[in-house]
């Protein structure tokens, strides 16, 4: 049984930090973090902001589905024995973009709540305390995000969790000084990378680092990278792609193409003059389809890599041959044969209340379950903000939700670019014509995620 990610909609959250500059006063370390802060725009899919919406809606539902396009029945026995939370409630804040005119990420909140219900029934909640989720939607508006921070102070939450919210800094600047720890799945702004007691469970740099590792693995010495030309995407691509590929022993040319460009033949022809050994595509489904279509139309046989967000609701129908032969960079391992996906399917089936299984619900699931697992991995019953932060700093290697068995650890040593990043996870998978993903695998990224002199 294979799982199709062709219905996973693009994350369309729009941070206000659309353009950044490297600081000369802070040296290489500060410059590196400034560049990385921009990278989240692409890593979490906001490249679509200012472009076409592309992704469409998901049609999969839970309970009888094992993922988008799969028919695996959820196995409730995987939830484990009952272990109800019986101690006093602990409030955990949760921020999501929510529903706006441009995007609907309300499934992220519902997935987080499903994890809370699962944890309260089977994991003893948070250190024995029943979790109460305090939710807030930023609507991709800074003022709303600031209001979320004030709400969390009023509600006296012990910690704040998130998947990949569109706005982070406004509420972070409110909760962090109050000593409230923050855990997020895939977010990286200058503030989140440097603020004390912020924990980023996944690896927001995988969108750039994994294709570079692919080049090294295949002994490819050059690459052409097509990126949608909105500042939040093209600026970080220009700053991060060349050094990451250089660390892999390859030279990369970044080509920014305006959103809505239907025929990218001229851009591909220009890139082909340098005879790149591979192509990498960063954008929304419509952008990616145009790029891949042009590459194939010119008879180019060089390997193509693309983000999982490139796979839209049309199943690659507009691309000759579809996604067959394209290597997909993925943030979650959704192979239905893995224990982590089976558990995800069981949790969403039992507590998701017909929640769609897509990239949005996966982000909420990963964000909330990682917080619960991280805190619970350290013995104790204290759920004060200080105790939660200490537990996360001292946690042992712990299984990352939907990580294909990969671990995360928040001791500040997982990723050399920022101590707040807790893992180096990132996967590559094969795709068939309609975007069904198989053969998920991790690549060696040793030495890839470095900026400047080591």
């Amino acid at each position: 049984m294979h799982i199709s990610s062709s219905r996973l909609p693009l994350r369309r959250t729009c941070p206000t930090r659309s353009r950044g500059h490297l600081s000369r006063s802070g040296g290489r370390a500060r410059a590196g973090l400034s560049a990385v802060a921009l990278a989240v725009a692409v890593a979490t899919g906001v490249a679509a902001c200012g472009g076409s919406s592309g992704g469409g809606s998901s049609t999969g539902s839970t309970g009888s589905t094992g993922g988008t396009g799969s028919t695996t029945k959820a196995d409730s026995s995987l939830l484990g024995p009952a272990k109800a939370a019986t101690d006093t409630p602990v409030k955990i804040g949760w921020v999501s973009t929510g529903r706006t005119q441009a995007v609907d990420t309300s499934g992220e909140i519902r997935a987080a709540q499903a994890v809370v219900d699962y944890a309260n029934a089977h994991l003893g909640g948070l250190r024995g305390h029943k979790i109460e989720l305090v939710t807030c939607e930023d609507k991709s508006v800074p003022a709303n995000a600031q209001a979320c921070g004030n709400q969390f102070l009023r509600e006296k939450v012990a910690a704040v969790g998130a998947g990949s919210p569109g706005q982070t800094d406004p509420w972070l600047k409110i909760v962090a000084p109050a000593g409230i720890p923050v855990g997020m799945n895939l977010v990286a702004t200058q503030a989140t990378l440097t603020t004390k007691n912020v924990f980023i469970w996944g690896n927001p740099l995988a969108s750039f680092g994994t294709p570079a590792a692919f080049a090294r693995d295949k002994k490819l010495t050059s690459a052409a990278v097509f990126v949608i030309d909105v500042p939040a995407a093209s600026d970080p691509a220009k700053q991060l792609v060349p050094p990451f590929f250089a660390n892999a022993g390859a030279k990369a040319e970044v080509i920014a193409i305006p959103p809505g460009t239907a025929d990218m033949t001229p851009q591909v022809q220009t890139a082909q003059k340098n005879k790149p050994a591979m192509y990498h595509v960063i954008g929304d489904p419509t952008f990616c389809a145009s790029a891949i279509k042009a590459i194939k139309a010119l008879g180019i046989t060089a390997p193509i890599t693309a983000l999982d967000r490139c796979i839209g609701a049309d199943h690659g129908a507009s691309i000759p041959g579809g996604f067959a032969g394209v290597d997909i960079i993925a943030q979650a391992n959704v192979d239905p044969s893995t224990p982590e996906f089976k558990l995800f399917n069981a949790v969403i089936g039992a507590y998701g209340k017909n929640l769609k299984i897509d990239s949005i619900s996966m982000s909420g699931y990963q964000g909330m379950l990682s917080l619960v697992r991280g805190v619970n991995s350290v013995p104790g019953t204290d759920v004060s903000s200080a105790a939660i932060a200490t537990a996360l700093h001292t946690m042992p290697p712990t299984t990352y939700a939907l990580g294909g068995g990969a671990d995360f650890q928040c001791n500040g040593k997982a990723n050399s670019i920022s101590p707040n990043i807790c893992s180096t996870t990132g996967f590559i998978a094969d795709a068939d014509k309609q975007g069904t993903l198989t053969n998920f695998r991790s690549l060696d990224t040793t030495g890839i995620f470095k900026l400047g002199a080591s």
Side-chain angles (χ1 to χ4, degrees):
M1 183 73 65
H2 301 313
I3 179 171
S4 168
S5 71
S6 59
R7 297 178 183 175
L8 300 187
L10 178 73
R11 293 290 307 234
R12 293 185 294 275
T13 52
C14 306
T16 55
R17 288 175 176 264
S18 60
R19 202 174 282 275
H21 305 281
L22 300 184
S23 169
R24 294 180 180 177
S25 61
R28 285 192 177 96
R30 184 182 299 272
L33 286 177
S34 298
V36 173
L38 290 170
V40 71
V42 178
T44 56
V46 299
C49 297
S52 54
S53 59
S57 61
S58 170
T59 58
S61 62
T62 63
S64 61
T65 61
T68 54
S70 169
T71 56
T72 302
K73 183 177 178 59
D75 183 356
S76 60
S77 68
L78 297 175
L79 299 174
K83 183 182 179 182
T86 57
D87 212 334
T88 54
V90 55
K91 291 184 177 181
I92 302 296
W94 183 270
V95 183
S96 181
T97 298
R99 186 189 299 268
T100 72
Q101 186 175 5
V103 65
D104 179 10
T105 68
S106 55
E108 191 175 67
I109 294 178
R110 293 174 60 199
Q113 184 62 57
V115 171
V116 167
D117 294 341
Y118 159 63
N120 285 338
H122 294 274
L123 303 180
L126 197 71
R127 289 185 153 184
H129 296 259
K130 182 178 180 180
I131 304 170
E132 292 183 355
L133 202 62
V134 179
T135 64
C136 189
E137 297 183 359
D138 63 38
K139 305 291 187 182
S140 288
V141 177
N144 290 345
Q146 188 175 35
C148 288
N150 291 324
Q151 176 187 350
F152 295 147
L153 292 188
R154 291 194 306 270
E155 295 278 356
K156 298 181 179 180
V157 302
V160 176
S164 301
Q167 296 289 332
T168 302
D169 293 2
W171 57 261
L172 179 61
K173 292 176 180 178
I174 294 173
V175 302
I180 300 172
V182 172
M184 295 174 282
N185 190 43
L186 287 171
V187 178
T189 66
Q190 181 73 15
T192 59
L193 290 171
T194 58
T195 300
K196 182 180 179 180
N197 292 334
V198 171
F199 307 91
I200 303 166
W201 316 127
N203 178 15
L205 309 182
S207 298
F208 299 135
T210 303
F214 174 86
R216 183 170 64 186
D217 183 68
K218 299 295 183 181
K219 296 180 172 57
L220 306 176
T221 59
S222 61
V225 178
F226 294 145
V227 58
I228 189 168
D229 194 9
V230 295
S234 55
D235 282 0
K238 292 173 183 177
Q239 295 182 59
L240 292 182
V241 167
F244 284 178
F245 271 82
N247 293 337
K251 182 178 180 180
E253 178 186 13
V254 178
I255 301 171
I257 302 176
T261 302
D263 183 6
M264 298 187 187
T265 302
Q267 289 87 351
V268 177
Q269 289 174 326
T270 299
Q272 190 61 16
K273 291 179 181 179
N274 293 325
K275 298 181 180 180
M278 67 171 284
Y279 284 85
H280 180 50
V281 184
I282 302 170
D284 66 19
T286 302
F287 178 91
C288 296
S290 296
I292 297 171
K293 187 189 306 182
I295 294 170
K296 289 188 173 184
L298 290 173
I300 296 170
T301 58
I304 303 171
T305 59
L307 303 187
D308 52 2
R309 300 163 192 84
C310 285
I311 305 175
D314 70 345
H315 299 229
S318 65
I319 305 172
F323 289 97
V326 178
D327 290 280
I328 300 297
I329 309 300
Q331 289 286 359
N333 186 325
V334 293
D335 182 342
S337 68
T338 61
E340 278 300 301
F341 185 83
K342 290 179 180 179
L343 176 61
F344 167 70
N345 194 40
V347 171
I348 299 303
Y351 300 103
K353 300 176 183 177
N354 295 318
L355 176 64
K356 296 172 183 177
I357 292 182
D358 54 24
S359 61
I360 292 172
S361 60
M362 288 177 188
S363 179
Y365 175 88
Q366 288 179 300
M368 192 65 216
L369 187 55
S370 295
L371 174 61
V372 172
R373 283 179 172 175
V375 175
N376 285 352
S377 68
V378 179
T381 59
D382 189 350
V383 288
S384 65
S385 293
I388 289 175
T390 298
L392 293 172
H393 280 300
T394 60
M395 61 178 283
T398 302
T399 301
Y400 177 50
L402 291 175
D407 289 336
F408 73 105
Q409 187 176 19
C410 301
N411 59 1
K413 301 178 181 179
N415 195 302
S416 63
I417 286 182
S418 169
N420 294 356
I421 298 177
C422 300
S423 74
T424 56
T425 56
F427 307 96
I428 193 163
D430 298 334
D432 70 3
K433 180 178 180 179
Q434 294 186 328
T436 301
L437 302 184
T438 59
N439 190 27
F440 284 82
R441 58 206 182 274
S442 298
L443 296 176
D444 179 13
T445 57
T446 302
I448 296 292
F449 300 110
K450 296 190 302 181
L451 294 172
S454 56

